[in-house]
Amino acid sequence: MSFPSGFPRVGVLALQGDTREHLAALREAGADSMPVRRRGELDAVDALVIPGGESTTMSHLLLDCDLLEPLRARLADGLPAYGACAGMILLASEILDAGASGRAALPLHAIDITVRRNAFGRQVDSFEGDIGFAGLAEPVRAVFIRAPWVERVGDDVQVLARAAGHVVAVRQGPVLATAFHPEMTGDRRIHQLFVDIVNGRI
């Protein structure tokens, strides 16, 4: 796959969450990264990262910015995407404990998984640890903050990592999702993995 600049243009949804950290990590992994807040910016990118944050708030910001349906359409057309924590929740096809009906997190239906919000507990239950990750020789330092876990995995979904017996990283085609925050460590291997997916290398 070739790109006009020689590098894929990977957007980071910049409505809430660790936008700057993901932009920096993507640049270090060899992507031309840019924030995405508007429809024109979404149309301009080759792939998208959805960062952590608060999934119900992010859902309604997508609605307010008229991005929800355009994003769903691009994902349905095969847009590569990576979601971390709240991003994993939004990329899912089904969300458990999605919130009250008026403030529910809205699934983007990009990956065939069922996720449970805040499955590992509240903010005070946040933790980090080293976990094995499929395809990587050394463990990944994973930071979990009010993190989800995956309760159901579709037939075409690859499980990449588990923590405390629960699925916390998955991939289906060009869509990657983790329950943890790799942007918060100096390890860029998850972002590199996503850039390699965007480039069609793996």
Side-chain angles (χ1 to χ4, degrees), residues 159-188:
V159 174
L160 300 176
R162 298 176 186 267
H166 299 285
V167 174
V168 295
V170 289
R171 177 186 175 186
Q172 183 176 12
V175 181
L176 177 69
T178 65
F180 54 89
H181 292 262
E183 78 282 1
M184 297 182 70
T185 73
D187 188 343
R188 300 308 186 211

Short mmCIF file of all heavy atoms in Angstrom, two decimals, residues 159-188:
data_model
loop_
_atom_site.label_atom_id
_atom_site.label_comp_id
_atom_site.label_asym_id
_atom_site.label_seq_id
_atom_site.Cartn_x
_atom_site.Cartn_y
_atom_site.Cartn_z
N VAL A 159 -7.64 -13.05 19.49
CA VAL A 159 -7.29 -12.60 20.85
C VAL A 159 -5.78 -12.41 20.92
O VAL A 159 -5.02 -13.34 20.63
CB VAL A 159 -7.78 -13.61 21.90
CG1 VAL A 159 -7.27 -13.20 23.30
CG2 VAL A 159 -9.29 -13.69 21.91
N LEU A 160 -5.34 -11.22 21.31
CA LEU A 160 -3.92 -10.89 21.35
C LEU A 160 -3.35 -10.89 22.75
O LEU A 160 -2.13 -11.08 22.93
CB LEU A 160 -3.68 -9.53 20.69
CG LEU A 160 -4.10 -9.39 19.23
CD1 LEU A 160 -3.89 -7.96 18.75
CD2 LEU A 160 -3.33 -10.37 18.35
N ALA A 161 -4.17 -10.61 23.76
CA ALA A 161 -3.65 -10.53 25.12
C ALA A 161 -4.77 -10.74 26.13
O ALA A 161 -5.94 -10.44 25.85
CB ALA A 161 -2.97 -9.17 25.37
N ARG A 162 -4.36 -11.25 27.31
CA ARG A 162 -5.27 -11.42 28.44
C ARG A 162 -4.62 -10.86 29.69
O ARG A 162 -3.39 -10.84 29.80
CB ARG A 162 -5.60 -12.90 28.67
CG ARG A 162 -6.31 -13.58 27.50
CD ARG A 162 -6.52 -15.07 27.76
NE ARG A 162 -7.07 -15.75 26.60
CZ ARG A 162 -8.36 -15.96 26.39
NH1 ARG A 162 -9.24 -15.53 27.30
NH2 ARG A 162 -8.79 -16.58 25.30
N ALA A 163 -5.45 -10.42 30.62
CA ALA A 163 -4.98 -9.97 31.94
C ALA A 163 -5.98 -10.46 32.97
O ALA A 163 -7.19 -10.31 32.77
CB ALA A 163 -4.86 -8.45 31.99
N ALA A 164 -5.47 -11.07 34.03
CA ALA A 164 -6.33 -11.61 35.09
C ALA A 164 -7.39 -12.54 34.52
O ALA A 164 -8.53 -12.58 35.01
CB ALA A 164 -6.97 -10.48 35.89
N GLY A 165 -7.04 -13.27 33.47
CA GLY A 165 -7.95 -14.22 32.86
C GLY A 165 -8.94 -13.64 31.88
O GLY A 165 -9.75 -14.38 31.30
N HIS A 166 -8.90 -12.35 31.65
CA HIS A 166 -9.86 -11.69 30.75
C HIS A 166 -9.17 -11.20 29.48
O HIS A 166 -8.01 -10.77 29.51
CB HIS A 166 -10.51 -10.50 31.46
CG HIS A 166 -11.27 -10.87 32.69
ND1 HIS A 166 -12.50 -11.49 32.64
CD2 HIS A 166 -10.97 -10.73 34.01
CE1 HIS A 166 -12.92 -11.72 33.87
NE2 HIS A 166 -12.02 -11.27 34.72
N VAL A 167 -9.90 -11.20 28.38
CA VAL A 167 -9.38 -10.73 27.09
C VAL A 167 -9.26 -9.21 27.13
O VAL A 167 -10.25 -8.51 27.42
CB VAL A 167 -10.29 -11.17 25.94
CG1 VAL A 167 -9.83 -10.56 24.62
CG2 VAL A 167 -10.34 -12.69 25.85
N VAL A 168 -8.07 -8.70 26.83
CA VAL A 168 -7.84 -7.24 26.89
C VAL A 168 -7.22 -6.67 25.62
O VAL A 168 -6.96 -5.47 25.55
CB VAL A 168 -6.97 -6.87 28.11
CG1 VAL A 168 -7.69 -7.19 29.41
CG2 VAL A 168 -5.60 -7.56 28.06
N ALA A 169 -7.00 -7.50 24.61
CA ALA A 169 -6.51 -6.99 23.32
C ALA A 169 -7.00 -7.92 22.22
O ALA A 169 -6.90 -9.15 22.35
CB ALA A 169 -4.99 -6.87 23.29
N VAL A 170 -7.51 -7.33 21.15
CA VAL A 170 -8.09 -8.10 20.05
C VAL A 170 -7.80 -7.42 18.71
O VAL A 170 -7.50 -6.23 18.66
CB VAL A 170 -9.63 -8.24 20.21
CG1 VAL A 170 -9.98 -9.17 21.36
CG2 VAL A 170 -10.29 -6.88 20.39
N ARG A 171 -7.93 -8.22 17.68
CA ARG A 171 -7.81 -7.69 16.31
C ARG A 171 -8.79 -8.41 15.41
O ARG A 171 -8.97 -9.63 15.52
CB ARG A 171 -6.39 -7.87 15.77
CG ARG A 171 -6.25 -7.40 14.32
CD ARG A 171 -4.90 -7.70 13.72
NE ARG A 171 -4.86 -7.34 12.32
CZ ARG A 171 -3.83 -7.59 11.49
NH1 ARG A 171 -2.74 -8.19 11.96
NH2 ARG A 171 -3.89 -7.22 10.22
N GLN A 172 -9.43 -7.66 14.52
CA GLN A 172 -10.23 -8.24 13.46
C GLN A 172 -9.93 -7.46 12.19
O GLN A 172 -10.30 -6.30 12.04
CB GLN A 172 -11.73 -8.17 13.78
CG GLN A 172 -12.60 -8.83 12.73
CD GLN A 172 -14.08 -8.85 13.10
OE1 GLN A 172 -14.51 -8.19 14.03
NE2 GLN A 172 -14.87 -9.61 12.35
N GLY A 173 -9.21 -8.10 11.28
CA GLY A 173 -8.82 -7.42 10.04
C GLY A 173 -8.01 -6.18 10.34
O GLY A 173 -7.01 -6.24 11.06
N PRO A 174 -8.43 -5.00 9.83
CA PRO A 174 -7.66 -3.77 10.05
C PRO A 174 -8.01 -3.05 11.34
O PRO A 174 -7.60 -1.90 11.52
CB PRO A 174 -8.05 -2.92 8.84
CG PRO A 174 -9.48 -3.29 8.60
CD PRO A 174 -9.58 -4.78 8.92
N VAL A 175 -8.76 -3.70 12.23
CA VAL A 175 -9.19 -3.05 13.47
C VAL A 175 -8.51 -3.71 14.67
O VAL A 175 -8.57 -4.92 14.85
CB VAL A 175 -10.72 -3.09 13.64
CG1 VAL A 175 -11.14 -2.39 14.92
CG2 VAL A 175 -11.40 -2.44 12.44
N LEU A 176 -7.87 -2.89 15.48
CA LEU A 176 -7.12 -3.32 16.66
C LEU A 176 -7.71 -2.63 17.87
O LEU A 176 -8.12 -1.46 17.78
CB LEU A 176 -5.65 -2.92 16.49
CG LEU A 176 -4.66 -3.20 17.62
CD1 LEU A 176 -4.42 -4.70 17.77
CD2 LEU A 176 -3.34 -2.48 17.33
N ALA A 177 -7.77 -3.31 19.00
CA ALA A 177 -8.31 -2.68 20.21
C ALA A 177 -7.62 -3.25 21.44
O ALA A 177 -7.36 -4.45 21.51
CB ALA A 177 -9.81 -2.89 20.30
N THR A 178 -7.33 -2.36 22.40
CA THR A 178 -6.77 -2.79 23.68
C THR A 178 -7.55 -2.13 24.81
O THR A 178 -8.02 -1.00 24.68
CB THR A 178 -5.28 -2.40 23.82
OG1 THR A 178 -5.16 -0.97 23.84
CG2 THR A 178 -4.45 -2.98 22.69
N ALA A 179 -7.65 -2.84 25.93
CA ALA A 179 -8.30 -2.29 27.11
C ALA A 179 -7.38 -1.37 27.89
O ALA A 179 -7.82 -0.68 28.80
CB ALA A 179 -8.79 -3.43 28.02
N PHE A 180 -6.11 -1.36 27.53
CA PHE A 180 -5.11 -0.58 28.26
C PHE A 180 -4.58 0.58 27.41
O PHE A 180 -4.96 0.73 26.24
CB PHE A 180 -3.97 -1.48 28.73
CG PHE A 180 -3.32 -2.30 27.65
CD1 PHE A 180 -2.25 -1.80 26.92
CD2 PHE A 180 -3.77 -3.57 27.35
CE1 PHE A 180 -1.65 -2.55 25.92
CE2 PHE A 180 -3.18 -4.34 26.35
CZ PHE A 180 -2.12 -3.82 25.64
N HIS A 181 -3.70 1.36 28.01
CA HIS A 181 -3.22 2.62 27.42
C HIS A 181 -1.73 2.53 27.07
O HIS A 181 -0.88 2.93 27.86
CB HIS A 181 -3.40 3.76 28.42
CG HIS A 181 -4.81 4.13 28.73
ND1 HIS A 181 -5.45 5.19 28.11
CD2 HIS A 181 -5.71 3.60 29.59
CE1 HIS A 181 -6.68 5.29 28.59
NE2 HIS A 181 -6.85 4.34 29.49
N PRO A 182 -1.36 2.08 25.87
CA PRO A 182 0.07 2.02 25.53
C PRO A 182 0.72 3.39 25.33
O PRO A 182 1.94 3.51 25.39
CB PRO A 182 0.08 1.21 24.23
CG PRO A 182 -1.26 1.45 23.63
CD PRO A 182 -2.20 1.54 24.80
N GLU A 183 -0.10 4.41 25.10
CA GLU A 183 0.47 5.76 24.91
C GLU A 183 1.08 6.31 26.20
O GLU A 183 1.81 7.30 26.15
CB GLU A 183 -0.61 6.71 24.37
CG GLU A 183 -1.62 7.23 25.38
CD GLU A 183 -2.70 6.25 25.76
OE1 GLU A 183 -2.69 5.10 25.24
OE2 GLU A 183 -3.58 6.61 26.57
N MET A 184 0.77 5.68 27.34
CA MET A 184 1.24 6.20 28.62
C MET A 184 2.60 5.64 29.03
O MET A 184 3.12 5.98 30.08
CB MET A 184 0.21 5.90 29.71
CG MET A 184 -1.13 6.61 29.48
SD MET A 184 -2.33 6.32 30.79
CE MET A 184 -1.57 7.26 32.12
N THR A 185 3.16 4.77 28.20
CA THR A 185 4.49 4.23 28.46
C THR A 185 5.40 4.62 27.29
O THR A 185 4.94 5.17 26.30
CB THR A 185 4.45 2.69 28.58
OG1 THR A 185 4.24 2.12 27.28
CG2 THR A 185 3.34 2.24 29.52
N GLY A 186 6.67 4.34 27.40
CA GLY A 186 7.59 4.64 26.31
C GLY A 186 7.65 3.55 25.27
O GLY A 186 8.38 3.68 24.28
N ASP A 187 6.90 2.49 25.46
CA ASP A 187 6.90 1.35 24.54
C ASP A 187 5.97 1.66 23.37
O ASP A 187 4.76 1.82 23.56
CB ASP A 187 6.43 0.11 25.30
CG ASP A 187 6.58 -1.18 24.49
OD1 ASP A 187 6.74 -1.10 23.26
OD2 ASP A 187 6.54 -2.27 25.10
N ARG A 188 6.52 1.71 22.17
CA ARG A 188 5.74 2.07 20.99
C ARG A 188 5.34 0.86 20.15
O ARG A 188 4.87 1.01 19.02
CB ARG A 188 6.53 3.05 20.12
CG ARG A 188 6.90 4.35 20.82
CD ARG A 188 5.69 5.00 21.43
NE ARG A 188 5.95 6.31 22.00
CZ ARG A 188 5.29 6.81 23.05
NH1 ARG A 188 4.37 6.08 23.66
NH2 ARG A 188 5.56 8.01 23.49
#
